[in-house]
Amino acid sequence: MRTLLVVLAAALAAPAAHAKDYGLMNCAKAKTADEKAICAGKGLLQKDAVMATQYSLLRGMLLMGGRGVLIDEQHDWLAERAKCAADKKCLIKRYDERIDALDKLFEGPRQRALGG
């Protein structure tokens, strides 16, 4: 259920004009080996949607300095993902690492918002 909600939120949260910045895959425009490999399977597309949603939410929650760091880290992560090419195991590992890193960042702002 959580995955479904996250996938739906990703579809609504990431503007099409900035999809590349978020990492949200546009399979109609997939050109590189990593993009084509992600589009070839439901599992990687789901991971992409989860990661893109987390990134989008964090980008909206963080203040200027933190947002800039997040954007730089995302661009670095996208470059690392590209190095995987069509290696699905590598792509899964990169997504799992990024989702975990974003989870940890998400807990910080959320705890502050809750007064914790």
Side-chain angles (χ1 to χ4, degrees), residues 20-35:
K20 189 74 168 170
D21 290 338
Y22 291 106
L24 186 62
M25 190 58 53
N26 180 346
C27 290
K29 295 183 179 182
K31 293 179 183 170
T32 63
D34 62 317
E35 292 171 345

Side-chain angles (χ1 to χ4, degrees), residues 43-116:
L44 282 168
L45 277 174
Q46 286 177 332
K47 286 182 182 292
D48 187 70
V50 169
M51 182 277 309
T53 300
Q54 288 176 312
Y55 175 77
S56 177
L57 291 171
L58 279 166
R59 189 170 168 170
M61 292 171 66
L62 295 173
L63 300 175
M64 270 315 243
R67 188 177 307 135
V69 170
L70 179 70
I71 291 167
D72 290 345
E73 288 174 351
Q74 186 72 1
H75 287 289
D76 291 346
W77 177 81
L78 288 168
E80 286 299 311
R81 185 192 77 187
K83 291 179 185 176
C84 290
D87 182 344
K88 289 186 181 182
K89 286 183 182 180
C90 179
L91 289 166
I92 290 168
K93 182 178 179 185
R94 292 292 164 259
Y95 272 102
D96 288 346
E97 290 169 350
R98 185 63 176 154
I99 290 168
D100 185 53
L102 292 172
D103 275 343
K104 289 176 183 169
L105 289 174
F106 188 72
E107 287 303 316
R110 193 171 90 173
Q111 288 301 324
R112 285 191 292 278
L114 296 173

